[in-house]
């Protein structure tokens, strides 16, 4: 069974991780970096550490240094989450085995993609297109859902709601669930149940304080016919919903307009965005500066004529950055000669048609190109290994190698090259 050690996560972040990882039959241990993280790390030797930092990287440097000083601990990859930090700070984390840094609020589709690569586990992520936004005005939480019901976002909603309530010390929060653009059918019934179950999971949210704005007859009949949702009101009239929540008498159209302006458009300023993003990377499919490679965006070239080896190494290296495959050493040298693409490191086979790994090493020496190269070969003759190392290879690894060995070697070489 694979195990993950979660360190210093906020209560909501921790509970969400436990639910998601446990569903995938992955063991979860919880620790405090200042108290018990190092003993737990060395006792269970997890497959991955997920480390949350509240304010500064300095808060966890003691743990990271102790981890790296242990021969077993230093092999364990780390995924970190925290506030936005400088790119140089992100790059410095490589020396501690950190392979990814996520800026809060975390986009969890990208987050679990990275976790899945490390654990070699495909996390089930609901692909249903959905917009789910939430904001707070005084004691009213507005939740807007459009396009569809996505189970990942609905699950996140439960924890984000609790986080929002606790951070703002709301005693009896009121919910306006705006679903005016949704058209559902009976096949969405389970997702509607999950949505309402997660909204009412916090006992501070009373059913009589939940109002749903919807024009969909299915939603109306679903709520009215369900005994568990007694007290929840569905309406087509936003002004009526607002009036009932804020306790005003029926208003004139002018009063309603002012009410809507006050309660919806004037969103409370809340500097705490929370730990969880209700928007995913897949919603825009644009590269987000919130999600940075701790490796400083490593660009790794993999050179081999064997397609099986290329794909195997690609899977192992994807957690570290961009991977570019070359099916011949000659093609890679041509790529280097144009000087346009800069690589952090190359992994090359030894004996290939036309141009060999030794030829590549000689080319780098002749052209004075500072590119670390790991030779990855099944050739075990001592003379060949010594020749490759004398010609400038940073390391020589015998096929096959497990992910942790290759990852650690790459990080050691990259870090040493930066010093």
């Amino acid at each position: 069974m694979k195990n993950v050690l979660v360190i210093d996560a906020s209560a909501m972040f921790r509970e969400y991780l436990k639910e998601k990882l446990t569903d995938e039959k992955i063991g979860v241990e919880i620790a405090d970096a200042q108290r018990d993280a190092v003993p737990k790390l060395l006792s269970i030797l997890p497959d991955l550490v997920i480390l949350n930092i509240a304010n500064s990287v300095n808060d966890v440097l003691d743990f990271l240094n102790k981890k790296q000083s242990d021969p077993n601990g230093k092999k364990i990859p780390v995924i970190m989450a925290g506030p936005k930090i400088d790119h140089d700070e992100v790059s410095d984390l490589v020396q501690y085995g950190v392979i990814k840094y996520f800026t809060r609020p975390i986009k969890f589709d990208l987050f679990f993609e990275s976790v899945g690569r490390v654990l070699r586990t495909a996390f089930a992520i609901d692909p249903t297109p959905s917009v789910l936004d939430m904001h707070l005005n005084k004691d009213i939480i507005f939740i807007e859902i459009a396009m569809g019901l996505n189970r990942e976002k609905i699950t996140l909603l439960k924890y984000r709601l609790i986080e929002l309530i606790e951070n703002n010390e709301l005693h009896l929060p009121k919910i306006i669930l705006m679903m005016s653009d949704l058209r559902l059918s009976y096949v969405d019934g389970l997702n509607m149940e999950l949505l309402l179950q997660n909204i009412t999971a916090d006992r501070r949210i009373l059913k009589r304080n939940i109002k749903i704005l919807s024009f969909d007859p299915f939603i109306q009949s679903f709520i009215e016919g369900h005994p568990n949702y007694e007290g929840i009101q569905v309406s087509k009239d936003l002004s009526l919903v607002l009036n009932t929540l804020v306790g005003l008498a029926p208003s004139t159209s002018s009063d309603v307009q002012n009410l809507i302006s006050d309660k919806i458009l004037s969103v409370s300023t809340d500097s705490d965005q929370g730990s969880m993003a209700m928007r995913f990377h897949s919603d825009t499919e644009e590269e987000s500066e919130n999600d940075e490679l701790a490796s400083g965006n490593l660009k790794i070239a993999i050179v081999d004529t064997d397609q099986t080896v290329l794909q195997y190494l690609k899977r192992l290296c994807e957690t570290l950055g961009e991977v570019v495959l070359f099916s011949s050493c000659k093609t890679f040298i041509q790529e280097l000669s144009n000087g346009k693409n800069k690589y952090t490191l190359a992994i090359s086979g030894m004996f290939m048609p036309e141009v060999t790994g030794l030829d590549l090493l000689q080319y780098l020496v002749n052209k004075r190109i500072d590119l670390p190269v790991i030779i990855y070969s099944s050739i075990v003759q001592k003379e060949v290994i010594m020749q490759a190392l004398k010609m400038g290879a940073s390391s020589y690894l015998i096929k096959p190698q497990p992910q942790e060995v290759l990852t650690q070697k790459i990080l050691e070489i990259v870090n040493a090259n930066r010093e």
Side-chain angles (χ1 to χ4, degrees):
M1 183 178 183
K2 295 173 182 176
N3 288 287
V4 172
L5 178 62
V6 179
I7 302 173
D8 284 353
S10 66
M12 295 306 104
F13 184 21
R14 181 175 67 238
E15 292 306 310
Y16 176 66
L17 285 178
K18 285 175 64 177
E19 178 176 337
K20 189 70 177 176
L21 294 171
T22 302
D23 285 346
E24 299 293 335
K25 305 297 187 292
I26 295 169
V28 181
E29 291 284 340
I30 306 298
D32 184 319
Q34 302 300 323
R35 188 172 62 250
D36 57 354
V38 174
K40 280 195 175 181
L41 176 82
L42 300 181
S43 65
I44 66 174
L45 294 178
D47 300 279
L48 171 68
V49 171
I50 296 175
L51 177 57
N52 182 70
I53 58 175
N55 300 305
S56 167
V57 173
N58 292 332
D59 299 339
V60 295
L61 281 182
D62 183 59
F63 164 76
L64 290 173
N65 280 311
K66 289 177 179 176
K67 169 188 174 295
Q68 289 307 103
S69 66
D70 184 88
N72 292 317
K74 70 186 299 183
K75 299 176 183 178
I76 301 170
V78 179
I79 291 178
M80 288 182 68
K84 187 169 181 60
I85 60 178
D86 293 338
H87 184 76
D88 289 344
E89 288 184 271
V90 176
S91 299
D92 287 343
L93 293 172
V94 173
Q95 62 187 298
Y96 302 109
V98 179
I99 60 172
K100 194 81 171 176
Y101 185 93
F102 286 91
T103 301
R104 291 191 301 262
I106 300 168
K107 293 185 176 178
F108 278 99
D109 52 346
L110 286 179
F111 179 83
F112 280 111
E113 181 180 322
S114 294
V115 172
R117 285 176 179 173
V118 175
L119 301 179
R120 300 183 189 180
T121 299
F123 285 89
I125 302 292
D126 185 353
T128 303
S130 173
V131 174
L132 201 163
D133 282 328
M134 178 167 53
H135 67 259
L136 173 69
N137 187 297
K138 297 183 180 178
D139 63 344
I140 301 179
I141 299 172
F142 295 90
I143 302 171
E144 182 176 4
I145 304 179
M147 297 178 67
L149 297 177
N150 180 292
R151 294 185 69 85
E152 307 302 329
K153 295 187 177 184
I154 292 172
T155 301
L156 270 171
L157 175 64
K158 174 174 67 175
Y159 297 105
R160 185 66 184 103
L161 262 177
I162 297 173
E163 190 175 54
L164 190 68
I165 291 168
E166 293 186 348
N167 288 350
N168 292 276
E169 298 180 352
L170 304 179
H171 301 296
L172 285 175
K174 300 168 183 177
I175 306 291
I176 295 182
L177 183 55
M178 305 175 74
M179 306 173 71
S180 54
D181 292 332
L182 274 185
R183 295 296 181 270
L184 304 178
S185 67
Y186 71 94
V187 297
D188 299 295
L190 289 177
N191 287 341
M192 271 298 297
E193 286 184 350
L194 180 64
L195 172 63
L196 294 168
Q197 174 185 320
N198 287 351
I199 289 176
T200 57
D202 192 302
R203 293 183 178 180
R204 289 164 291 192
I205 300 177
L206 305 179
K207 292 186 178 67
R208 67 171 184 269
N209 286 334
I210 301 174
K211 311 297 177 184
I212 300 176
L213 180 68
S214 173
F215 302 105
D216 187 355
F218 170 79
I219 294 177
Q220 179 82 43
S221 61
F222 181 85
I223 298 297
E224 291 179 351
H226 206 301
N228 291 342
Y229 307 137
E230 185 177 352
I232 298 177
Q233 178 188 2
V234 181
S235 176
K236 300 178 182 179
D237 187 343
L238 177 58
S239 62
L240 177 61
V241 167
L242 283 166
N243 279 334
T244 56
L245 275 183
V246 298
L248 296 182
S251 308
T252 65
S253 59
S254 174
D255 293 333
V256 170
Q257 186 60 44
N258 291 334
L259 184 65
I260 292 173
S261 177
D262 290 341
K263 298 301 178 186
I264 297 181
L265 301 182
S266 304
V267 181
S268 297
T269 302
D270 183 8
S271 58
D272 180 13
Q273 298 182 63
S275 62
M276 306 175 185
M278 301 309 298
R279 288 184 178 271
F280 287 177
H281 171 78
S282 56
D283 294 335
T284 60
E285 297 190 356
E286 295 175 356
E287 196 62 40
S288 171
E289 63 182 7
N290 287 345
D291 308 299
E292 301 187 62
L293 289 169
S295 55
N297 290 324
L298 295 189
K299 189 172 183 180
I300 301 172
I302 300 177
V303 187
D304 205 294
T305 54
D306 189 330
Q307 286 297 317
T308 302
V309 172
L310 286 176
Q311 294 304 319
Y312 174 70
L313 291 176
K314 180 175 184 288
R315 287 195 303 273
L316 295 190
C317 295
E318 279 179 330
T319 58
L320 298 173
E322 180 184 354
V323 177
V324 183
L325 303 181
F326 294 89
S327 56
S328 79
C329 207
K330 182 178 180 180
T331 304
F332 180 52
I333 288 177
Q334 290 172 343
E335 174 86 358
L336 292 175
S337 66
N338 65 35
K340 293 180 180 179
N341 291 308
K342 304 293 184 181
Y343 293 92
T344 315
L345 178 137
I347 303 174
S348 174
M350 178 55 81
F351 294 132
M352 292 172 279
E354 297 187 83
V355 182
T356 69
L358 294 177
D359 294 327
L360 170 61
L361 294 171
Q362 189 62 57
Y363 173 82
L364 296 175
V365 171
N366 294 342
K367 296 297 183 180
R368 297 184 179 180
I369 297 175
D370 184 17
L371 176 66
V373 177
I374 296 174
I375 297 295
Y376 187 68
S377 172
S378 58
I379 306 299
V380 297
Q381 284 87 347
K382 181 179 178 181
E383 297 77 11
V384 175
I385 296 173
M386 293 305 297
Q387 186 180 7
L389 294 174
K390 285 180 180 179
M391 293 180 68
S394 299
S395 183
Y396 193 111
L397 298 179
I398 306 297
K399 297 177 182 177
Q401 291 289 340
Q403 179 180 16
E404 58 269 19
V405 172
L406 188 61
T407 299
Q408 185 62 33
K409 181 57 65 178
I410 291 172
L411 293 176
E412 285 177 3
I413 292 171
V414 170
N415 188 51
N417 215 43
R418 284 171 171 165
E419 293 177 349

